[in-house]
Amino acid sequence: NHVFVSTDAGRTFRRTLDGDGAVHAVQFDCFGHVAVVRGRQLGIANGAREVWRSVRGIDLANVDDTGYDDVSLIGGGRDLILLGKAPGDDAKSRVAVSRDLGGSWTYHDLSDYGMGETTAGAQRADGTILDGTAIPDCMSEDLAWIEIAPDGATKTHVHQIYGMQFRFWGDSILST
């Protein structure tokens, strides 16, 4: 698995964040930093400088190569945001947030739900984070999601949706 980055609208590409293990998630923040979950680590590219970090509050040891990964990155905002499982507890999904390129982390448990097959998130311009996972049920799906304010205050929500695909769009949730 390789990660290729273009900073000139696709005219040229360069490989970045090579290492051991499969690539499980890739995203950019709003400053152009590339973040990659590869194997059991998080890699961050800041221009030509690359650093690799562990994320102790997210269980990357159980992320596998089957194509269904229990970790996702939320890009586009000013923070690094991961959605994964809490260590030692397969039943809880957790959001990890770093405001300093992975140097330190805060953790927010999403719910007692595990990770669903579909995850999505967004970060608003004011820094508010929306992050969630769709949990399949026999007739509909539950969307378990968290809203994290810039001051760290959280609100967790569970809503019924119809369809596993969803996205946050402003103050709305779109599902199909």
Side-chain angles (χ1 to χ4, degrees):
N1 292 358
H2 300 294
V3 175
F4 294 90
V5 174
S6 175
T7 57
D8 59 7
R11 287 190 292 269
T12 61
F13 289 85
R14 66 177 171 80
R15 262 177 51 180
T16 189
L17 296 165
D18 282 337
D20 295 331
V23 173
H24 300 285
V26 179
Q27 280 291 351
F28 287 90
D29 67 12
C30 66
F31 305 108
H33 303 118
V34 181
V36 173
V37 176
R38 178 186 286 280
R40 296 179 179 178
Q41 290 193 309
L42 173 71
I44 302 145
N46 184 0
R49 183 173 174 258
E50 296 181 2
V51 296
W52 291 92
R53 303 195 186 272
S54 62
V55 185
R56 290 195 171 97
I58 299 288
D59 185 3
L60 295 179
N62 289 321
V63 175
D64 59 33
D65 298 329
T66 63
Y68 175 69
D69 296 326
D70 289 331
V71 66
S72 66
L73 283 163
I74 305 304
R78 62 186 185 205
D79 301 324
L80 281 176
I81 306 165
L82 281 88
L83 175 61
K85 288 184 177 179
D89 187 351
D90 286 342
K92 285 195 181 212
S93 53
R94 175 176 280 177
V95 178
V97 180
S98 176
R99 297 180 190 257
D100 59 3
L101 293 178
S104 61
W105 296 90
T106 58
Y107 301 98
H108 307 273
D109 287 337
L110 179 57
S111 72
D112 289 334
Y113 292 93
M115 293 281 292
E117 292 179 23
T118 305
T119 61
Q123 187 170 31
R124 295 180 181 149
D126 70 355
T128 300
I129 297 166
L130 307 172
D131 207 345
T133 185
I135 311 296
D137 199 354
C138 61
M139 296 181 65
S140 64
E141 287 75 41
D142 287 333
L143 172 61
W145 62 284
I146 190 168
E147 183 175 352
I148 306 168
D151 66 1
T154 62
K155 293 181 195 172
T156 55
H157 311 270
V158 177
H159 296 285
Q160 195 172 59
I161 60 173
Y162 298 93
M164 290 296 292
Q165 300 299 319
F166 71 95
R167 293 291 177 260
F168 295 99
W169 185 263
D171 289 330
S172 301
I173 298 171
L174 310 173
S175 73
T176 60

